[in-house]
Short mmCIF file of all heavy atoms in Angstrom, two decimals:
data_model
loop_
_atom_site.label_atom_id
_atom_site.label_comp_id
_atom_site.label_asym_id
_atom_site.label_seq_id
_atom_site.Cartn_x
_atom_site.Cartn_y
_atom_site.Cartn_z
N GLY C 876 22.93 14.57 21.67
CA GLY C 876 24.25 14.68 22.26
C GLY C 876 25.31 13.84 21.58
O GLY C 876 26.40 13.67 22.11
N LYS C 877 25.00 13.33 20.41
CA LYS C 877 25.90 12.42 19.69
C LYS C 877 26.50 13.10 18.46
O LYS C 877 25.99 14.09 17.96
CB LYS C 877 25.15 11.15 19.26
CG LYS C 877 24.48 10.39 20.40
CD LYS C 877 25.50 9.77 21.33
CE LYS C 877 24.81 9.02 22.47
NZ LYS C 877 23.95 7.92 21.99
N ARG C 878 27.57 12.50 17.99
CA ARG C 878 28.22 12.94 16.76
C ARG C 878 27.81 11.95 15.67
O ARG C 878 28.06 10.74 15.78
CB ARG C 878 29.73 12.96 16.97
CG ARG C 878 30.56 13.41 15.78
CD ARG C 878 32.04 13.43 16.19
NE ARG C 878 32.91 13.60 15.05
CZ ARG C 878 33.26 14.77 14.54
NH1 ARG C 878 32.79 15.89 15.11
NH2 ARG C 878 34.08 14.84 13.50
N THR C 879 27.17 12.46 14.61
CA THR C 879 26.58 11.60 13.59
C THR C 879 27.14 11.95 12.22
O THR C 879 27.14 13.12 11.82
CB THR C 879 25.05 11.75 13.56
OG1 THR C 879 24.52 11.37 14.83
CG2 THR C 879 24.43 10.87 12.48
N ALA C 880 27.61 10.95 11.49
CA ALA C 880 28.04 11.15 10.11
C ALA C 880 26.86 10.93 9.18
O ALA C 880 26.11 9.96 9.32
CB ALA C 880 29.16 10.18 9.76
N VAL C 881 26.67 11.86 8.24
CA VAL C 881 25.65 11.74 7.20
C VAL C 881 26.38 11.60 5.87
O VAL C 881 27.08 12.51 5.44
CB VAL C 881 24.72 12.97 7.18
CG1 VAL C 881 23.71 12.84 6.04
CG2 VAL C 881 24.01 13.13 8.52
N ILE C 882 26.23 10.44 5.22
CA ILE C 882 26.91 10.18 3.95
C ILE C 882 25.90 10.31 2.82
O ILE C 882 24.89 9.59 2.81
CB ILE C 882 27.55 8.78 3.94
CG1 ILE C 882 28.48 8.59 5.14
CG2 ILE C 882 28.30 8.54 2.64
CD1 ILE C 882 29.08 7.19 5.24
N GLY C 883 26.15 11.22 1.88
CA GLY C 883 25.24 11.41 0.76
C GLY C 883 25.13 12.87 0.39
O GLY C 883 25.50 13.76 1.17
N SER C 884 24.60 13.14 -0.82
CA SER C 884 24.54 14.52 -1.28
C SER C 884 23.21 14.89 -1.91
O SER C 884 23.10 15.92 -2.57
CB SER C 884 25.66 14.77 -2.31
OG SER C 884 25.50 13.90 -3.43
N GLY C 885 22.17 14.08 -1.71
CA GLY C 885 20.87 14.36 -2.30
C GLY C 885 19.87 14.90 -1.30
O GLY C 885 20.21 15.32 -0.19
N ALA C 886 18.60 14.88 -1.70
CA ALA C 886 17.55 15.46 -0.88
C ALA C 886 17.40 14.76 0.47
O ALA C 886 17.10 15.41 1.47
CB ALA C 886 16.22 15.41 -1.64
N SER C 887 17.61 13.45 0.50
CA SER C 887 17.51 12.75 1.78
C SER C 887 18.61 13.20 2.74
O SER C 887 18.38 13.36 3.94
CB SER C 887 17.59 11.24 1.57
OG SER C 887 16.44 10.76 0.92
N ALA C 888 19.83 13.40 2.20
CA ALA C 888 20.92 13.90 3.04
C ALA C 888 20.61 15.30 3.53
O ALA C 888 20.87 15.64 4.70
CB ALA C 888 22.23 13.88 2.26
N PHE C 889 20.05 16.15 2.67
CA PHE C 889 19.65 17.49 3.09
C PHE C 889 18.66 17.41 4.25
O PHE C 889 18.75 18.14 5.23
CB PHE C 889 18.97 18.24 1.94
CG PHE C 889 19.87 18.59 0.79
CD1 PHE C 889 19.31 19.01 -0.41
CD2 PHE C 889 21.24 18.52 0.88
CE1 PHE C 889 20.12 19.35 -1.49
CE2 PHE C 889 22.07 18.85 -0.19
CZ PHE C 889 21.50 19.26 -1.38
N THR C 890 17.69 16.50 4.11
CA THR C 890 16.67 16.35 5.15
C THR C 890 17.30 15.93 6.46
O THR C 890 16.97 16.47 7.53
CB THR C 890 15.63 15.30 4.71
OG1 THR C 890 15.07 15.69 3.47
CG2 THR C 890 14.52 15.18 5.75
N ALA C 891 18.19 14.96 6.41
CA ALA C 891 18.84 14.48 7.64
C ALA C 891 19.66 15.59 8.29
O ALA C 891 19.63 15.77 9.52
CB ALA C 891 19.72 13.28 7.33
N LEU C 892 20.39 16.37 7.49
CA LEU C 892 21.19 17.46 8.04
C LEU C 892 20.31 18.52 8.69
O LEU C 892 20.62 19.01 9.79
CB LEU C 892 22.03 18.10 6.93
CG LEU C 892 23.20 17.26 6.41
CD1 LEU C 892 23.73 17.86 5.12
CD2 LEU C 892 24.30 17.18 7.46
N ALA C 893 19.23 18.89 8.02
CA ALA C 893 18.33 19.89 8.58
C ALA C 893 17.69 19.39 9.87
O ALA C 893 17.53 20.13 10.85
CB ALA C 893 17.25 20.25 7.57
N THR C 894 17.34 18.10 9.90
CA THR C 894 16.73 17.50 11.09
C THR C 894 17.71 17.47 12.26
O THR C 894 17.36 17.82 13.40
CB THR C 894 16.26 16.07 10.76
OG1 THR C 894 15.30 16.12 9.70
CG2 THR C 894 15.62 15.42 11.97
N LEU C 895 18.94 17.07 11.99
CA LEU C 895 19.96 17.02 13.04
C LEU C 895 20.31 18.42 13.52
O LEU C 895 20.61 18.62 14.71
CB LEU C 895 21.20 16.30 12.55
CG LEU C 895 21.05 14.79 12.33
CD1 LEU C 895 22.28 14.23 11.62
CD2 LEU C 895 20.82 14.06 13.66
N ALA C 896 20.27 19.41 12.62
CA ALA C 896 20.53 20.79 13.03
C ALA C 896 19.46 21.29 13.99
O ALA C 896 19.76 21.98 14.97
CB ALA C 896 20.61 21.69 11.80
N ASP C 897 18.21 20.93 13.72
CA ASP C 897 17.12 21.30 14.64
C ASP C 897 17.35 20.68 16.01
O ASP C 897 17.13 21.32 17.05
CB ASP C 897 15.77 20.83 14.08
CG ASP C 897 15.31 21.67 12.89
OD1 ASP C 897 15.84 22.79 12.71
OD2 ASP C 897 14.43 21.20 12.14
N LEU C 898 17.80 19.42 16.02
CA LEU C 898 18.07 18.75 17.28
C LEU C 898 19.24 19.41 18.00
O LEU C 898 19.19 19.63 19.23
CB LEU C 898 18.37 17.26 17.03
CG LEU C 898 18.68 16.41 18.25
CD1 LEU C 898 17.49 16.36 19.20
CD2 LEU C 898 19.09 15.00 17.83
N ALA C 899 20.29 19.76 17.26
CA ALA C 899 21.47 20.39 17.86
C ALA C 899 21.15 21.73 18.48
O ALA C 899 21.76 22.14 19.47
CB ALA C 899 22.56 20.55 16.80
N GLU C 900 20.16 22.42 17.90
CA GLU C 900 19.76 23.72 18.44
C GLU C 900 19.19 23.57 19.84
O GLU C 900 19.37 24.44 20.69
CB GLU C 900 18.71 24.35 17.51
CG GLU C 900 18.88 25.82 17.35
CD GLU C 900 17.92 26.40 16.31
OE1 GLU C 900 17.28 25.63 15.57
OE2 GLU C 900 17.82 27.62 16.26
N ASP C 901 18.53 22.44 20.08
CA ASP C 901 17.89 22.20 21.38
C ASP C 901 18.76 21.38 22.33
O ASP C 901 18.59 21.46 23.55
CB ASP C 901 16.55 21.46 21.17
CG ASP C 901 15.56 22.27 20.36
OD1 ASP C 901 15.63 23.51 20.41
OD2 ASP C 901 14.73 21.64 19.67
N GLU C 902 19.65 20.56 21.77
CA GLU C 902 20.39 19.61 22.58
C GLU C 902 21.90 19.81 22.40
O GLU C 902 22.47 19.39 21.38
CB GLU C 902 20.02 18.17 22.20
CG GLU C 902 18.54 17.83 22.37
CD GLU C 902 18.13 17.73 23.83
OE1 GLU C 902 19.02 17.74 24.71
OE2 GLU C 902 16.92 17.63 24.09
N PRO C 903 22.57 20.46 23.34
CA PRO C 903 24.02 20.69 23.23
C PRO C 903 24.78 19.37 23.07
O PRO C 903 24.39 18.33 23.62
CB PRO C 903 24.37 21.35 24.57
CG PRO C 903 23.09 21.96 25.04
CD PRO C 903 22.00 21.03 24.57
N GLY C 904 25.85 19.43 22.31
CA GLY C 904 26.67 18.24 22.09
C GLY C 904 26.27 17.45 20.87
O GLY C 904 27.00 16.55 20.44
N THR C 905 25.11 17.79 20.29
CA THR C 905 24.67 17.11 19.07
C THR C 905 25.37 17.75 17.87
O THR C 905 25.38 18.98 17.74
CB THR C 905 23.14 17.24 18.91
OG1 THR C 905 22.49 16.71 20.07
CG2 THR C 905 22.66 16.51 17.67
N HIS C 906 25.96 16.95 17.02
CA HIS C 906 26.69 17.51 15.89
C HIS C 906 26.69 16.52 14.73
O HIS C 906 26.67 15.30 14.93
CB HIS C 906 28.14 17.82 16.28
CG HIS C 906 28.83 18.74 15.32
ND1 HIS C 906 28.58 20.10 15.28
CD2 HIS C 906 29.75 18.49 14.36
CE1 HIS C 906 29.33 20.66 14.34
NE2 HIS C 906 30.04 19.69 13.76
N ALA C 907 26.68 17.07 13.51
CA ALA C 907 26.69 16.24 12.31
C ALA C 907 27.98 16.44 11.53
O ALA C 907 28.57 17.52 11.55
CB ALA C 907 25.50 16.58 11.42
N VAL C 908 28.41 15.37 10.87
CA VAL C 908 29.55 15.43 9.96
C VAL C 908 29.02 15.00 8.59
O VAL C 908 28.59 13.86 8.42
CB VAL C 908 30.68 14.48 10.40
CG1 VAL C 908 31.85 14.57 9.41
CG2 VAL C 908 31.14 14.81 11.80
N TRP C 909 29.02 15.93 7.65
CA TRP C 909 28.46 15.65 6.33
C TRP C 909 29.58 15.17 5.43
O TRP C 909 30.54 15.89 5.16
CB TRP C 909 27.82 16.92 5.78
CG TRP C 909 27.09 16.72 4.48
CD1 TRP C 909 26.61 15.55 3.96
CD2 TRP C 909 26.75 17.74 3.54
NE1 TRP C 909 25.99 15.77 2.77
CE2 TRP C 909 26.05 17.10 2.48
CE3 TRP C 909 26.95 19.12 3.50
CZ2 TRP C 909 25.58 17.82 1.39
CZ3 TRP C 909 26.47 19.83 2.42
CH2 TRP C 909 25.79 19.19 1.37
N VAL C 910 29.47 13.94 4.94
CA VAL C 910 30.51 13.30 4.15
C VAL C 910 30.09 13.27 2.69
O VAL C 910 29.10 12.65 2.32
CB VAL C 910 30.78 11.86 4.65
CG1 VAL C 910 31.88 11.21 3.83
CG2 VAL C 910 31.15 11.88 6.13
N LEU C 911 30.85 13.98 1.83
CA LEU C 911 30.55 14.06 0.41
C LEU C 911 31.71 13.51 -0.41
O LEU C 911 32.87 13.68 -0.05
CB LEU C 911 30.33 15.51 -0.03
CG LEU C 911 29.21 16.30 0.63
CD1 LEU C 911 29.77 17.15 1.76
CD2 LEU C 911 28.53 17.20 -0.39
N ARG C 912 31.40 12.88 -1.53
CA ARG C 912 32.43 12.42 -2.44
C ARG C 912 32.90 13.55 -3.36
O ARG C 912 33.91 13.41 -4.05
CB ARG C 912 31.90 11.26 -3.30
CG ARG C 912 31.55 10.04 -2.47
CD ARG C 912 30.84 8.99 -3.31
NE ARG C 912 30.34 7.90 -2.48
CZ ARG C 912 29.49 6.97 -2.91
NH1 ARG C 912 29.06 7.00 -4.15
NH2 ARG C 912 29.08 6.02 -2.09
N ARG C 913 32.19 14.64 -3.39
CA ARG C 913 32.46 15.76 -4.27
C ARG C 913 32.89 16.98 -3.46
O ARG C 913 32.97 16.93 -2.24
CB ARG C 913 31.20 16.11 -5.06
CG ARG C 913 30.00 16.29 -4.15
CD ARG C 913 28.75 16.70 -4.87
NE ARG C 913 28.80 18.11 -5.22
CZ ARG C 913 27.76 18.80 -5.69
NH1 ARG C 913 26.60 18.19 -5.85
NH2 ARG C 913 27.87 20.06 -5.99
N GLY C 914 33.17 18.07 -4.15
CA GLY C 914 33.45 19.32 -3.47
C GLY C 914 32.17 20.09 -3.22
O GLY C 914 31.07 19.65 -3.57
N ILE C 915 32.29 21.27 -2.63
CA ILE C 915 31.14 22.12 -2.37
C ILE C 915 31.22 23.35 -3.26
O ILE C 915 32.25 24.04 -3.29
CB ILE C 915 31.06 22.54 -0.89
CG1 ILE C 915 30.67 21.33 -0.04
CG2 ILE C 915 30.03 23.65 -0.70
CD1 ILE C 915 30.48 21.65 1.42
N GLY C 916 30.15 23.60 -4.00
CA GLY C 916 30.08 24.77 -4.87
C GLY C 916 28.67 25.30 -4.91
O GLY C 916 27.81 24.93 -4.11
N GLY C 917 28.39 26.15 -5.89
CA GLY C 917 27.09 26.81 -5.96
C GLY C 917 25.94 25.86 -6.14
O GLY C 917 24.81 26.16 -5.73
N SER C 918 26.16 24.72 -6.78
CA SER C 918 25.07 23.79 -7.06
C SER C 918 24.92 22.70 -6.00
O SER C 918 24.01 21.88 -6.09
CB SER C 918 25.27 23.15 -8.43
OG SER C 918 26.49 22.43 -8.45
N THR C 919 25.80 22.69 -5.02
CA THR C 919 25.78 21.61 -4.03
C THR C 919 24.44 21.52 -3.33
O THR C 919 23.94 20.42 -3.06
CB THR C 919 26.89 21.83 -2.99
OG1 THR C 919 28.15 21.83 -3.64
CG2 THR C 919 26.88 20.73 -1.94
N PHE C 920 23.84 22.67 -3.04
CA PHE C 920 22.63 22.69 -2.23
C PHE C 920 21.37 22.82 -3.08
O PHE C 920 20.32 23.22 -2.58
CB PHE C 920 22.71 23.83 -1.21
CG PHE C 920 23.87 23.70 -0.27
CD1 PHE C 920 25.06 24.37 -0.51
CD2 PHE C 920 23.80 22.88 0.84
CE1 PHE C 920 26.14 24.25 0.35
CE2 PHE C 920 24.88 22.74 1.70
CZ PHE C 920 26.05 23.43 1.45
N GLY C 921 21.45 22.48 -4.36
CA GLY C 921 20.28 22.52 -5.20
C GLY C 921 20.07 23.89 -5.82
O GLY C 921 20.96 24.75 -5.82
N GLY C 922 18.87 24.10 -6.34
CA GLY C 922 18.59 25.31 -7.10
C GLY C 922 18.17 26.50 -6.30
O GLY C 922 18.00 27.60 -6.83
N GLY C 923 17.93 26.32 -4.98
CA GLY C 923 17.51 27.46 -4.15
C GLY C 923 16.27 28.12 -4.71
O GLY C 923 15.29 27.48 -5.08
N GLN C 924 16.31 29.43 -4.83
CA GLN C 924 15.15 30.18 -5.29
C GLN C 924 14.88 29.98 -6.78
O GLN C 924 13.82 30.37 -7.27
CB GLN C 924 15.35 31.66 -4.98
CG GLN C 924 15.45 31.92 -3.47
CD GLN C 924 15.76 33.36 -3.16
OE1 GLN C 924 14.92 34.24 -3.34
NE2 GLN C 924 16.97 33.62 -2.69
N ALA C 925 15.83 29.38 -7.52
CA ALA C 925 15.62 29.11 -8.94
C ALA C 925 14.84 27.82 -9.17
O ALA C 925 14.43 27.54 -10.28
CB ALA C 925 16.97 29.02 -9.66
N ASP C 926 14.65 27.02 -8.15
CA ASP C 926 13.92 25.76 -8.28
C ASP C 926 12.43 26.06 -8.43
O ASP C 926 11.86 26.82 -7.66
CB ASP C 926 14.16 24.89 -7.04
CG ASP C 926 13.76 23.44 -7.27
OD1 ASP C 926 12.71 23.20 -7.88
OD2 ASP C 926 14.50 22.56 -6.83
N GLN C 927 11.80 25.45 -9.45
CA GLN C 927 10.38 25.67 -9.67
C GLN C 927 9.50 24.93 -8.66
O GLN C 927 8.29 25.13 -8.62
CB GLN C 927 10.00 25.30 -11.10
CG GLN C 927 10.59 26.26 -12.12
CD GLN C 927 10.14 25.95 -13.53
OE1 GLN C 927 9.27 25.11 -13.78
NE2 GLN C 927 10.73 26.65 -14.50
N LEU C 928 10.10 24.06 -7.85
CA LEU C 928 9.41 23.52 -6.68
C LEU C 928 10.01 24.22 -5.47
O LEU C 928 11.09 23.85 -5.01
CB LEU C 928 9.60 22.00 -6.58
CG LEU C 928 8.87 21.14 -7.61
CD1 LEU C 928 9.18 19.67 -7.39
CD2 LEU C 928 7.38 21.38 -7.57
N PRO C 929 9.38 25.24 -4.94
CA PRO C 929 9.99 26.07 -3.89
C PRO C 929 10.45 25.28 -2.68
O PRO C 929 11.51 25.56 -2.12
CB PRO C 929 8.86 27.06 -3.53
CG PRO C 929 8.00 27.12 -4.74
CD PRO C 929 8.04 25.75 -5.33
N ALA C 930 9.67 24.29 -2.26
CA ALA C 930 10.05 23.54 -1.07
C ALA C 930 11.27 22.68 -1.30
O ALA C 930 12.04 22.42 -0.38
CB ALA C 930 8.87 22.67 -0.61
N ARG C 931 11.47 22.25 -2.54
CA ARG C 931 12.67 21.48 -2.86
C ARG C 931 13.90 22.39 -2.77
O ARG C 931 14.93 22.03 -2.22
CB ARG C 931 12.56 20.87 -4.25
CG ARG C 931 13.77 20.03 -4.64
CD ARG C 931 13.53 19.28 -5.94
NE ARG C 931 13.18 20.16 -7.05
CZ ARG C 931 12.70 19.75 -8.22
NH1 ARG C 931 12.50 18.47 -8.41
NH2 ARG C 931 12.42 20.60 -9.18
N GLY C 932 13.78 23.61 -3.29
CA GLY C 932 14.88 24.56 -3.19
C GLY C 932 15.17 24.92 -1.75
O GLY C 932 16.33 25.04 -1.33
N ALA C 933 14.11 25.09 -0.95
CA ALA C 933 14.27 25.45 0.46
C ALA C 933 14.96 24.35 1.24
O ALA C 933 15.70 24.61 2.19
CB ALA C 933 12.91 25.76 1.08
N LEU C 934 14.73 23.10 0.84
CA LEU C 934 15.35 21.98 1.54
C LEU C 934 16.87 22.05 1.44
O LEU C 934 17.58 21.89 2.44
CB LEU C 934 14.84 20.67 0.94
CG LEU C 934 15.44 19.38 1.47
CD1 LEU C 934 15.17 19.25 2.96
CD2 LEU C 934 14.86 18.19 0.72
N GLY C 935 17.39 22.30 0.25
CA GLY C 935 18.83 22.43 0.10
C GLY C 935 19.39 23.59 0.90
O GLY C 935 20.48 23.51 1.48
N LEU C 936 18.63 24.68 0.96
CA LEU C 936 19.09 25.84 1.71
C LEU C 936 19.08 25.58 3.21
O LEU C 936 19.90 26.13 3.95
CB LEU C 936 18.22 27.05 1.36
CG LEU C 936 18.32 27.48 -0.12
CD1 LEU C 936 17.32 28.58 -0.42
CD2 LEU C 936 19.72 27.91 -0.46
N ALA C 937 18.17 24.72 3.67
CA ALA C 937 18.17 24.35 5.09
C ALA C 937 19.42 23.54 5.43
O ALA C 937 20.00 23.70 6.51
CB ALA C 937 16.92 23.54 5.42
#
Side-chain angles (χ1 to χ4, degrees):
K877 303 292 179 61
R878 181 177 169 86
T879 300
V881 177
I882 305 176
S884 60
S887 291
F889 292 166
T890 303
L892 288 167
T894 300
L895 290 171
D897 287 342
L898 180 62
E900 219 174 348
D901 298 332
E902 301 288 351
T905 303
H906 197 76
V908 180
W909 186 21
V910 181
L911 301 97
R912 296 172 188 168
R913 52 177 283 191
I915 289 184
S918 61
T919 300
F920 300 97
Q924 297 175 71
D926 196 318
Q927 291 184 9
L928 289 179
R931 181 172 57 192
L934 176 61
L936 296 174

